[in-house]
Amino acid sequence: MTDMTKEELHRGLADAVVNMDEATSARLSEEAVERRYDAFEAIDHGLAKGMETAGRLFEEEEYFVPELLMCADALNAGVDILKPHIKRGKQDIRCKIVIGVISGDTHDIGKNLVKLMLSSSGFEVVDLGRDVPPQSFVDRAVEEGAGIIMISSLMTTTMEGMWEVVRMLEERGLRDRIKVAVGGGPVSQGFADKIGADGYSPNANHAVRLAAELAATLA
């Protein structure tokens, strides 16, 4: 066991994620447990910070999908060790989010990256998958008590379904309780404004910031 302060260990965990180093992530996570450092803080200030940096590198096109997935593997290697040691009541789930690809579209790489980044940042994510009907988004959000619905599309022919989700929420009087965010290749801020969505995200890293902003309005 090395002679590391808690802050140094947190930085080491963050670097391990950015460097896609599963072995170091696991070793430092085990050290955090041995030293009785707060497990949640090790995840939040260490592993998640590293994933945030990886997301920024992805946004800046220094990292691509394979690198981001390897960063996630390093993060998960540490989380698997630390999670059982989180003190009861310490893990703060910021908001439950329902996410999916709208009906008619089966392109889900972008959605999967957003899910990964959200989960790494403390959100509870319910993934509906791809080719999801508008009604399913609404029904599942109500069933799960979700505060945010995130919808993606890479096909212009399917974007109308996003509008349907907003309309259904309005018809059921749920627009104050459930926020809607949209994203994907053909989607724009202008389109989001047109359909009455609460936000638009151009990439996975921005989606986390947007989710945090929307969650704050629900508090």
Side-chain angles (χ1 to χ4, degrees):
M1 189 163 61
T2 58
D3 186 20
M4 299 180 74
T5 66
K6 180 170 67 174
E7 289 72 24
E8 288 171 338
L9 190 141
H10 289 170
R11 286 196 295 272
L13 286 168
D15 289 344
V17 172
V18 174
N19 294 329
M20 299 164 271
D21 188 344
E22 290 184 55
T24 298
S25 176
R27 176 177 60 79
L28 292 178
S29 296
E30 289 171 351
E31 183 167 338
V33 172
E34 291 175 11
R35 288 181 175 273
R36 299 185 183 276
Y37 290 153
D38 188 288
F40 180 78
E41 288 182 0
I43 294 174
D44 193 38
H45 301 318
L47 298 170
K49 286 292 183 184
M51 200 65 205
E52 182 179 326
T53 300
R56 188 176 70 251
L57 292 171
F58 177 76
E59 187 175 336
E60 295 169 355
E61 297 186 349
E62 291 188 38
Y63 277 11
F64 298 93
V65 172
E67 288 83 2
L68 200 60
L69 293 176
M70 285 189 284
C71 288
D73 287 341
L75 176 139
N76 288 328
V79 168
D80 288 345
I81 293 167
L82 291 164
K83 195 170 182 179
H85 300 277
I86 294 175
K87 297 174 184 177
R88 186 181 297 274
K90 190 74 177 179
Q91 190 174 18
D92 180 23
I93 298 299
R94 299 164 69 178
C95 179
K96 185 178 284 191
I97 298 173
V98 166
I99 190 171
V101 181
I102 198 66
S103 56
D105 196 339
T106 59
H107 300 87
D108 63 355
I109 291 177
K111 182 268 296 177
N112 291 340
L113 290 174
V114 171
K115 175 189 174 183
L116 171 66
M117 294 297 291
L118 290 170
S119 298
S120 301
S121 300
F123 292 95
E124 183 176 355
V125 184
V126 179
D127 185 1
L128 303 186
R130 52 192 182 180
D131 195 18
V132 182
Q135 188 70 57
S136 296
F137 279 102
V138 177
D139 290 345
R140 193 65 180 273
V142 171
E143 177 185 332
E144 296 283 348
I148 301 172
I149 293 174
M150 287 191 151
I151 318 168
S152 70
S153 174
L154 278 180
M155 301 172 62
T156 56
T157 54
T158 67
M159 290 165 60
E160 184 73 18
M162 297 178 170
W163 203 335
E164 281 293 297
V165 173
V166 175
R167 184 184 62 78
M168 289 176 180
L169 288 171
E170 289 174 346
E171 288 180 349
R172 295 176 62 169
L174 297 171
R175 286 297 283 120
D176 291 337
R177 289 169 42 197
I178 302 175
K179 303 297 180 181
V180 178
V182 295
V187 182
S188 65
Q189 183 64 58
F191 176 77
D193 294 339
K194 178 182 177 181
I195 68 173
D198 300 287
Y200 155 73
S201 176
N203 55 59
N205 206 37
H206 183 275
V208 176
R209 296 195 295 270
L210 174 60
E213 292 169 3
L214 295 178
T217 68
L218 297 166

